[in-house]
Amino acid sequence: MSFLIVANWKMNGTRSLFVNFIGKLNDKSNEITSKLVICPPFTSLPGNIELNNNISIGAQNCHYKKSGSYTGEISAEMLKELGCTYVILGHSERTHETNGEIKLKSETAIESGLHPIICVGENLEDRESSKTKEVVEYQCKSRLPIHGEYTVAYEPIWAIGTGHVPSNNAIAEVIEVIQSYTSKKHVIYGGSVSLENIENLSNILNLSGVLIGSASLDFDRFHKIVQQVEKAY
């Protein structure tokens, strides 16, 4: 599997910005071997867009029901029809979600033909209490589906948007914890990934990719991050 680079735009970006971003990425993709997944807001997803082979579109969430009276929600099948092939699930910024709901969403996404990127990670209190391994193991048990293909994203909550990143050894240890629980060996890291630290993160031997937040909004900066990954791999 190629190194996976996922861009989570969160609540940023219009449809025109997204289409322009993808157009630039298509122009550059021939020089890129990594797998790129861009996840804009729902409203920025176009009905039809040209994508080169190593570029995919993802969503930032989906509901665990295929349809029903759930005002404001989006189903996995709706995302699939719009051309999404990936969906981020269980991001810590969606604080109201339970582990059980995240697992149901993951199962529904897989049934609908989407590839879930399932987030796990400890908060600052857990980290300072040396409970990272315990928390991540419990989240894996409670969130990860038994069947189907998916990717796990290790996103320590305390690192998201703070500019602070765990040491490479600490990330590698958590990846081993995740891999010991599931047969899926593809684990990516997210949490303040930036142009300044991507070269160092690329040195983690068991890392399969990165999940990038705010640093993915500017095309030139995102492209430079991708270039750094290409140099490393």
Side-chain angles (χ1 to χ4, degrees):
M1 180 179 177
S2 301
F3 196 82
L4 181 63
I5 303 176
V6 183
N8 177 16
W9 281 18
K10 306 185 181 183
M11 198 175 69
N12 297 288
T14 60
R15 180 175 293 185
S16 59
L17 178 64
F18 176 67
V19 171
N20 180 263
F21 189 99
I22 291 295
K24 291 180 179 178
L25 205 54
N26 278 332
D27 291 340
K28 300 286 188 181
S29 65
N30 288 335
E31 64 192 51
I32 298 170
T33 61
S34 301
K35 177 67 175 177
L36 309 178
V37 180
I38 314 301
C39 303
F42 293 133
T43 54
S44 297
L45 292 170
N48 184 25
I49 189 168
E50 181 180 341
L51 297 169
N52 286 358
N53 290 336
N54 59 335
I55 304 173
S56 297
I57 297 176
Q60 300 173 22
N61 182 48
C62 70
H63 200 269
Y64 57 83
K65 291 286 189 178
K66 293 185 177 180
S67 63
S69 302
Y70 303 99
T71 302
E73 295 291 344
I74 304 292
S75 75
E77 290 184 352
M78 294 173 183
L79 296 174
K80 183 71 174 178
E81 190 177 58
L82 282 172
C84 290
T85 50
Y86 287 79
V87 59
I88 300 170
L89 297 173
H91 195 284
S92 64
E93 290 172 349
R94 300 185 56 80
T95 55
H96 62 284
E97 294 178 346
T98 66
N99 290 322
E101 287 173 337
I102 294 167
K103 185 173 184 177
L104 286 173
K105 289 182 178 188
S106 301
E107 293 169 342
T108 300
I110 291 171
E111 289 175 9
S112 300
L114 299 180
H115 184 105
I117 299 169
I118 307 166
C119 300
V120 299
E122 80 285 5
N123 60 32
L124 183 59
E125 181 180 352
D126 292 329
R127 175 177 181 259
E128 292 178 342
S129 300
S130 300
K131 293 182 178 179
T132 296
K133 180 179 179 181
E134 177 184 340
V135 169
V136 171
E137 284 181 337
Y138 179 77
Q139 289 174 341
C140 286
K141 180 180 179 179
S142 305
R143 297 183 180 191
L144 303 186
I146 297 174
H147 304 292
E149 294 298 318
Y150 58 84
T151 295
V152 181
Y154 171 49
E155 278 211 313
I157 299 171
W158 55 270
I160 297 172
T162 65
H164 301 296
V165 177
S167 69
N168 283 10
N169 285 341
I171 295 173
E173 287 175 1
V174 174
I175 292 175
E176 288 179 1
V177 170
I178 296 168
Q179 291 177 333
S180 68
Y181 178 83
T182 174
S183 60
K184 315 302 179 185
K185 300 302 181 183
H186 302 304
V187 182
I188 65 176
Y189 170 78
S192 292
V193 177
S194 67
L195 181 59
E196 289 70 31
N197 59 36
I198 188 61
E199 183 177 1
N200 183 53
L201 290 171
S202 298
N203 292 324
I204 302 173
L205 294 179
N206 54 354
L207 185 69
S208 297
V210 288
L211 176 56
I212 309 172
S214 59
S216 68
L217 293 170
D218 178 81
F219 177 81
D220 291 335
R221 195 165 185 82
F222 178 73
H223 183 238
K224 288 178 181 178
I225 292 175
V226 173
Q227 287 179 313
Q228 288 291 336
V229 169
E230 293 294 303
K231 288 181 182 179
Y233 289 92

